[in-house]
Amino acid sequence: MKAIIQTRFLHWKHQFPALLFWLVLPIGVILGFNYAVTAIQADSKVPVGIVIEDKSTTARELVDKMNEAPFIRVKQLDKEQALQQLEKHELDSVFIIKEGYEKQVNSGSRNRLLTSYQSDLSFAYTPVSEMIASFVQKDTGRAKTAYTILQLEEQLTTNTHWNIEEIITTSKEIEAEQDLLKASFQFKGQAKTNETNLKLWDHWGLWALFSTLATFFLFDWLVKETRSSVRTRFAFIRFSYKTYALLNLLVYTVLLFVIDLAAAFIFSYVFGEAINLSRIAAIVSFRLMINGFAFLLAISMKQIVAYYSLSLVITLLLALTSGAIIPIDGLPFLSVLHPLVPFLNGIFHNIWLYMVVLIICLWYGRKENQYA
């Protein structure tokens, strides 16, 4: 085995740039795609200027709520800068939290709490202003409720003594801890989905597709070393060709599995993807299956160009039928037969893995029988 590793390192030394490229391609594509999507989403948000003249906690909470809105990008500026950028159409609209905002909110006032500005190109002013108004009405409604509770306390002459700040704080805690209102819908016959798990795209699905393509191109050494001019050297070494091929398959499997584990930890750190035994088992199953499939495809090909072309076609077919890019809800048989679906579902058992292992064993066993 030591000789196999040394021989393989000699090959890698002369092909290091290509080897490194295909090893990091799946991880690099996912990280790059995520960065591009994040940048596009940020640029597609409506720019809104906010001027904070009131330095109170209530005003700060209003700005925090605006920052949490998914469709606007809040820029905190002073009044002169905000109006200049609005005039240049760099901002869609400007909202000023005037001095005394917290005092007016706590008194239950709902008039002239904020000042807003818009231009003739402010296409999102109406929904943004209504959203901000809803935030303000929630705060004023909470304050009005607090006053109502205090009045009831005086009328009922209870021994409990509350102040406005305690009532407002308690209401915020209840709102944060309890799901007071939730509405969901789905089309008839559609399974319910967990809204907290919805993602714009499946990181592991795209990773599996690019990892499949990279694996095919990494196994091109089998096609190159199957040529008759190269294969004659096996008559002078202590390894048969198929033993040599299987030992190199083991080396590539260990190397790629290390890269897969690195991808799992990177996705956990960047995207918050969970790392558990189920995911690790699915990665092991996927790696064994894809490596075995690439191995069988490579040893059956004679022309390197034909191998590359067929690899691209197979990867494209897997991409179109896996559900990672295009939904396949209307084609349930693909979910059963597709080789990537078990991995996407976090399942170790995969009928394609067992088929690949069986074919490799038959291939090697037939060769041993011939030499017996």
Side-chain angles (χ1 to χ4, degrees):
M1 189 64 187
K2 181 179 179 181
I4 293 293
I5 296 177
Q6 290 176 343
T7 303
R8 186 48 51 192
F9 269 100
L10 289 176
H11 288 281
W12 288 344
K13 182 179 180 181
H14 297 285
Q15 300 174 352
F16 182 75
L19 174 68
L20 182 62
F21 173 80
W22 291 114
L23 288 177
V24 303
L25 174 69
I27 301 176
V29 167
I30 303 306
L31 295 179
F33 188 73
N34 179 75
Y35 176 80
V37 170
T38 303
I40 292 174
Q41 287 180 334
D43 292 339
S44 63
K45 291 183 177 181
V46 178
V48 175
I50 186 74
V51 179
I52 305 177
E53 295 180 351
D54 188 272
K55 305 301 181 182
S56 63
T57 303
T58 304
R60 186 70 258 173
E61 291 177 351
L62 176 60
V63 176
D64 292 340
K65 292 177 182 177
M66 293 175 61
N67 285 321
E68 294 174 359
F71 65 94
I72 65 173
R73 184 174 70 254
V74 178
K75 296 180 65 175
Q76 185 174 333
L77 306 165
D78 58 41
K79 185 175 181 180
E80 182 178 354
Q81 290 178 332
L83 294 180
Q84 286 179 352
Q85 293 189 18
L86 178 64
E87 186 177 355
K88 296 178 181 179
H89 305 297
E90 297 178 3
L91 296 175
D92 182 80
S93 52
V94 173
F95 296 87
I96 301 176
I97 303 178
K98 298 191 295 185
E99 185 72 30
Y101 170 79
E102 183 178 57
K103 182 178 180 181
Q104 288 184 280
V105 168
N106 291 337
S107 65
S109 174
R110 300 189 180 186
N111 297 322
R112 303 182 184 279
L113 298 177
L114 284 80
T115 300
S116 63
Y117 295 88
Q118 61 175 317
S119 68
D120 54 348
L121 298 180
S122 299
F123 65 93
Y125 172 77
T126 299
V128 173
S129 62
E130 291 180 353
M131 179 191 69
I132 296 175
S134 68
F135 293 153
V136 176
Q137 288 176 359
K138 179 187 288 188
D139 291 336
T140 57
R142 187 180 287 117
K144 185 176 182 180
T145 302
Y147 279 109
T148 302
I149 293 175
L150 292 178
Q151 292 176 358
L152 291 174
E153 182 182 354
E154 293 178 358
Q155 295 175 4
L156 298 175
T157 62
T158 62
N159 295 326
T160 304
H161 298 285
W162 293 74
N163 55 43
I164 295 178
E165 290 76 12
E166 291 175 344
I167 296 173
I168 293 176
T169 301
T170 303
S171 67
K172 291 180 180 179
E173 292 175 353
I174 294 174
E175 182 181 354
E177 294 174 358
Q178 300 182 11
D179 195 1
L180 302 179
L181 177 62
K182 181 178 180 180
S184 61
F185 72 94
Q186 64 271 348
F187 295 104
K188 183 178 180 181
Q190 180 183 5
K192 292 184 178 181
T193 58
N194 186 358
E195 295 182 1
T196 60
N197 293 329
L198 292 178
K199 297 182 292 186
L200 181 63
W201 48 289
D202 187 357
H203 304 109
W204 281 115
L206 290 181
W207 175 86
L209 295 174
F210 282 101
S211 184
T212 299
L213 179 64
T215 302
F216 282 135
F217 277 78
L218 283 172
F219 273 75
D220 61 349
W221 61 271
L222 268 171
V223 182
K224 297 175 181 177
E225 297 180 19
T226 306
R227 299 170 182 171
S228 57
S229 59
V230 179
R231 195 166 177 176
T232 55
R233 75 180 188 274
F234 288 99
F236 303 98
I237 63 176
R238 58 192 180 94
F239 293 109
S240 65
Y241 168 72
K242 291 190 176 181
T243 301
Y244 170 83
L246 286 178
L247 291 176
N248 276 278
L249 171 62
L250 177 61
V251 172
Y252 271 92
T253 300
V254 173
L255 173 64
L256 290 171
F257 182 67
V258 172
I259 300 298
D260 296 344
L261 289 180
F265 284 103
I266 292 174
F267 290 173
S268 175
Y269 177 78
V270 177
F271 307 123
E273 298 281 355
I275 300 179
N276 47 43
L277 292 178
S278 176
R279 174 55 62 187
I280 298 298
I283 291 176
V284 172
S285 175
F286 167 80
R287 177 50 57 198
L288 294 176
M289 179 197 65
I290 292 300
N291 282 16
F293 189 77
F295 178 84
L296 292 174
L297 180 64
I299 62 175
S300 63
M301 303 295 294
K302 302 298 181 182
Q303 298 295 328
I304 192 67
V305 176
Y307 174 75
Y308 289 150
S309 301
L310 188 57
S311 299
L312 291 171
V313 171
I314 292 174
T315 305
L316 180 60
L317 290 176
L318 291 176
L320 295 177
T321 58
S322 65
I325 299 178
I326 301 176
I328 57 173
D329 296 337
L331 301 173
F333 66 92
L334 287 178
S335 300
V336 179
L337 300 177
H338 201 283
L340 297 187
V341 169
F343 168 74
L344 298 179
N345 294 334
I347 301 174
F348 174 83
H349 298 287
N350 190 334
I351 187 174
W352 290 95
L353 170 62
Y354 303 135
M355 292 176 59
V356 166
V357 172
L358 178 61
I359 295 173
I360 292 177
C361 291
L362 293 175
W363 170 79
Y364 186 77
R366 184 180 59 182
K367 184 260 181 181
E368 293 296 325
N369 292 334
Q370 290 176 350
Y371 280 82

